[in-house]
Amino acid sequence: MSVLYSLGMRCSLHAFVGAMAMALNVLAAHADDLRPGQVFQDCDECPEMVVIPAGIFEMGTPASAEPGNDSARPLHTVSIMKAFALGKTEVTKRQWRAVMGVNPIGSLVCDDCPAENLSWNAAQEFVRRLSVKTGKQYRLPSEAEWEYACRAGAQQEYCGGDDVDSVAWHEGNSSGGAHSVAGKQANAFGLHDMSGNVWEWTADCWNNGYNGAPSDGSAWISGGCSSRVIRGGSWYYKSRYLGASVRAGSGVDDRGNNDGVRVARSLP
Amino acid sequence: MMASLAADTVREPQGDVYHTIGARNLQGGVLHIVCALACALAALAFAGPGFAADRKPQAGRKQVEAEQVRADDAGRRVPLEQRQVEGTERQRAESGRQRLKALGYELLKPFRDCLDCPEMVVIPSGDFEMGSPAGEVGRYGTEAPQHRVTIAAAFALGKTEVTQGQWRALMGHNPSYFSRCGEECPVEQVSWNDVQEYLLRLSRKTGQRYRLPTEAEWEYAARAGTTTPFNTGNCIDTDQANYDGNFDYNFCRGMKRNYVQRTTPVGSFAANSFALHDMHGNVWEWVEDCWHDDYVGAPSDGSAWSNGPCEKRVLRGGSWKVEPRSLRSAERNWEWAHDPGNGHGFRVARTIFW
């Protein structure tokens, strides 16, 4: 953990996030013996989970950034009140099969590639079954949790860095398909492929901009709920769409051929 | 005059398969259309060559050259069918057409990926001289040196500029200055950055790879085989494009003093031989490339020039308020990527082959 936070100590904001996280997580650590940064699995073929500390961050596009990316404005402060667990990687085809009992749609050549062609409803069904299987509270991350985990205390262009090729699969380097998860460098929270590889569904309803968005890290479940927010960009898209603040929305039954999922789990 | 080719060919998703529904609906000027189509076909190469379908790894990009349109000794473009060619070349061209057809496309046949999506035309692969020749009247240094560019694969380009209605359908608002012009008028006052968000939404909605055309693709498509200052020839007039008719180009026809002083509905003027409207005039069109002061070091493979001062992006085609000199196929302009400007619009491109 000290390694984690030493990475983030370069500016006072990072220090603040770190301090908040450690203070708030003393209780959680006692309750479940899960500490920020710890990796665990609830069953053999369940997704590997990383404990993400509570903390505060700035969500969206900074006002100082040049105009554009309007749906990610205004920049606003969000407090993630409670530590949670987030998938270390996107859900793989192997994991999908283990939980759902059927293969995901698409090629089965690469079992450790992310499950694709997933609608939001399909992703919801996956977390429901995973919860039943494990007895734990799996769910989709809120959009705020997703961006907080992506940034991991830093203000960088992509999740985990400014150099897209070292952290992400995108149109320019993917050779036309998804790649095995965790093939690129992790971010400071130990999460892989938050930018790129496949888009990742979140729990939030689509709203065109952050006016009225919750500030407590919970999912925004009012507004255009027939569309949900999806994040991170994919192997099919230009790197400019893989940015930490870039948002997109799709209908709950739409099955984008490079849409996947990363699960979250509430901690006791 | 109005000239609209097969405007109602709509492609709607049915599961993962796209079916072409609706029939050709030729509106107005049928004779003109037939003529344009004939000219177009005569001027064209055939499909993209030996390429893998979309989303498959690149293969065989080297074997492409054979399928391009070639110029004869007089500099005219000669369609493959009329050339003395080796059997293998003809076979490859045929194979390219079939690959396009297998994906459900035909050269120059318009299609839409959804009802609110821009109408697209499949543009054939080919090569051309990009930039203006030394003798072109009114040329700027930015258009030099003229250089050969190869567009290796067929791609799709918006038949018209993106309209206000199409923008509103995805973005939920209409930023246009001439909003009272109507839903069929081009959207304007959109920055290059704004356009990227539109393209993201359009790509996610359709599952297709929508993007801005590269500067080379834009000029190739604007010229549609021509080497003259305009795709209408050595001259252009206000019956052919929307611009400031108080000005003339190179003593062409004298001044008609026809200046509508605003944008006009897309497709109000005749299409070029690639079935594209308003490549000259109406609104400036954003392209993908970063701005460079001239073509020294420019790519020759039709890709975007993506290094350099990328806070400036290229605009092409002139607008309703410029003189005809600025409408030329080779004319280049720039704006800050974040600046919605005044009279800046765009048309979309779509990759067909990965």
Side-chain angles (χ1 to χ4, degrees):
Chain A
M1 196 164 111
S2 60
V3 175
L4 260 185
Y5 290 118
S6 68
L7 283 171
M9 287 296 179
R10 294 197 195 103
C11 81
S12 58
L13 174 66
H14 301 165
F16 183 57
V17 170
M20 281 288 294
M22 281 186 276
L24 287 170
N25 275 280
V26 171
L27 289 176
H30 282 305
D32 203 18
D33 201 27
L34 290 172
R35 294 164 175 277
Q38 189 173 336
V39 179
F40 67 89
Q41 253 178 316
D42 284 327
C43 71
D44 279 350
E45 289 190 309
C46 289
E48 272 190 283
M49 305 298 289
V50 182
V51 179
I52 307 295
I56 292 177
F57 80 114
E58 297 293 316
M59 184 171 180
T61 303
S64 60
E66 69 173 31
N69 198 18
D70 287 346
S71 65
R73 296 172 191 266
L75 187 73
H76 58 293
T77 303
V78 173
S79 307
I80 305 293
M81 304 301 283
K82 199 165 170 302
F84 65 101
L86 189 64
K88 184 177 169 65
T89 68
E90 292 148 348
V91 170
T92 64
K93 294 184 181 192
R94 187 193 308 278
Q95 292 161 349
W96 183 271
R97 185 164 53 236
V99 172
M100 303 296 278
V102 294
N103 286 316
I105 295 164
S107 158
L108 296 174
V109 172
C110 164
D111 250 5
D112 291 320
C113 288
E116 297 183 83
N117 297 291
L118 305 182
S119 69
W120 187 84
N121 281 331
Q124 285 289 49
E125 180 63 11
F126 180 85
V127 294
R128 191 187 67 78
R129 292 209 192 186
L130 184 59
S131 301
V132 169
K133 183 182 173 90
T134 59
K136 309 291 184 186
Q137 197 188 341
Y138 281 91
R139 55 183 174 78
L140 295 180
S142 70
E143 186 181 12
E145 286 172 339
W146 191 96
E147 185 167 326
Y148 171 69
C150 154
R151 294 186 180 281
Q155 282 291 345
Q156 292 165 318
E157 185 69 24
Y158 307 99
C159 307
D162 290 320
D163 172 27
V164 69
D165 286 323
S166 64
V167 295
W169 297 109
H170 58 94
E171 183 197 40
N173 68 6
S174 69
S175 307
H179 287 250
S180 294
V181 298
K184 294 286 186 183
Q185 188 182 305
N187 73 359
F189 282 162
L191 306 168
H192 295 273
D193 304 309
M194 292 288 284
S195 285
N197 219 15
V198 291
W199 288 94
E200 300 175 12
W201 286 108
T202 71
D204 294 44
C205 301
W206 173 258
N207 287 277
N208 197 8
Y210 286 136
N211 286 313
S215 61
D216 61 356
S218 61
W220 194 359
I221 46 172
S222 61
C225 291
S226 58
S227 286
R228 301 284 172 153
V229 177
I230 194 161
R231 290 294 216 113
S234 76
W235 59 266
Y236 189 66
Y237 283 75
K238 285 183 188 298
S239 58
R240 65 177 67 115
Y241 298 125
L242 273 56
S245 64
V246 175
R247 314 174 66 219
S250 276
V252 293
D253 283 319
D254 291 351
R255 259 186 315 108
N257 64 3
N258 44 108
D259 293 353
V261 64
R262 177 187 306 264
V263 298
R265 209 201 96 181
S266 302
L267 297 177
Chain B
M1 73 167 281
M2 297 284 287
S4 174
L5 279 173
D8 290 349
T9 303
V10 176
R11 294 158 56 78
E12 286 199 335
Q14 294 192 358
D16 284 337
V17 185
Y18 286 76
H19 295 283
T20 299
I21 62 166
R24 262 188 190 200
N25 179 13
L26 300 178
Q27 309 166 344
V30 171
L31 274 180
H32 175 90
I33 292 164
V34 170
C35 172
L37 196 58
C39 296
L41 288 175
L44 286 186
F46 300 105
F51 276 88
D54 197 11
R55 298 195 293 110
K56 296 223 175 94
Q58 280 186 8
R61 193 159 275 221
K62 296 293 179 206
Q63 65 185 27
V64 183
E65 275 72 15
E67 284 80 28
Q68 318 307 329
V69 181
R70 295 285 162 75
D72 66 9
D73 293 340
R76 284 171 303 172
R77 310 208 138 235
V78 182
L80 190 63
E81 296 293 345
Q82 293 172 14
R83 273 184 265 148
Q84 295 298 315
V85 293
E86 303 148 30
T88 52
E89 184 176 346
R90 190 182 293 273
Q91 281 162 13
R92 269 194 233 134
E94 181 58 34
S95 152
R97 273 198 302 280
Q98 284 171 1
R99 280 166 197 272
L100 260 186
K101 200 168 182 180
L103 293 173
Y105 304 104
E106 275 180 50
L107 286 180
L108 299 185
K109 184 175 175 185
F111 67 88
R112 275 184 218 270
D113 284 326
C114 70
L115 284 173
D116 290 326
C117 293
E119 190 175 16
M120 307 297 291
V121 181
V122 180
I123 306 294
S125 60
D127 52 10
F128 77 113
E129 293 294 330
M130 184 171 179
S132 55
E136 186 165 305
V137 173
R139 82 192 290 247
Y140 295 94
T142 54
E143 302 157 21
Q146 200 179 29
H147 57 292
R148 190 136 203 99
V149 170
T150 299
I151 307 292
F155 65 101
L157 188 64
K159 186 171 169 59
T160 68
E161 291 146 349
V162 170
T163 66
Q164 296 179 19
Q166 288 160 355
W167 181 275
R168 190 202 308 277
L170 281 188
M171 305 301 282
H173 67 287
N174 179 10
S176 305
Y177 180 80
F178 295 110
S179 56
R180 288 166 67 186
C181 178
E183 300 281 283
E184 289 302 310
C185 290
V187 68
E188 12 90 17
Q189 301 204 123
V190 290
S191 72
W192 189 92
N193 289 341
D194 295 335
V195 169
Q196 298 311 309
E197 187 144 11
Y198 175 85
L199 292 167
L200 172 58
R201 294 187 190 186
L202 185 59
S203 298
R204 283 212 46 91
K205 183 182 173 85
T206 60
Q208 300 293 344
R209 198 187 313 269
Y210 280 94
R211 55 182 176 78
L212 284 174
T214 68
E215 187 174 11
E217 286 171 340
W218 192 96
E219 186 170 327
Y220 172 70
R223 291 186 176 281
T226 63
T227 56
T228 45
F230 310 98
N231 59 34
T232 51
N234 287 313
C235 292
I236 195 163
D237 65 46
T238 50
D239 292 335
Q240 296 171 315
N242 178 8
Y243 63 95
D244 184 350
N246 289 312
F247 296 90
D248 193 18
Y249 176 75
N250 195 24
F251 309 104
C252 271
R253 300 161 197 264
M255 294 180 285
K256 291 196 172 182
R257 297 207 179 276
N258 183 8
Y259 179 27
V260 298
Q261 302 185 51
R262 61 169 180 84
T263 57
T264 42
V266 299
S268 295
F269 298 89
N272 72 3
S273 58
F274 280 175
L276 305 168
H277 297 275
D278 300 307
M279 294 300 280
H280 298 305
N282 214 11
V283 289
W284 286 101
E285 299 180 13
W286 290 109
V287 298
E288 170 69 20
D289 298 46
C290 306
W291 174 257
H292 294 78
D293 289 335
D294 57 40
Y295 285 135
V296 175
S300 62
D301 62 355
S303 63
W305 203 353
S306 297
N307 58 12
C310 289
E311 61 274 21
K312 293 178 185 175
R313 298 280 175 165
V314 179
L315 289 159
R316 289 304 211 104
S319 75
W320 58 272
K321 65 174 178 181
V322 304
E323 57 176 318
R325 173 189 185 179
S326 298
L327 254 50
R328 290 172 305 110
S329 297
E331 164 80 12
R332 309 175 65 223
N333 191 5
W334 65 266
E335 183 57 87
W336 303 105
H338 62 77
D339 195 335
N342 186 346
H344 298 356
F346 68 108
R347 79 179 65 219
V348 299
R350 213 198 85 185
T351 303
I352 294 177
F353 299 101
W354 177 272

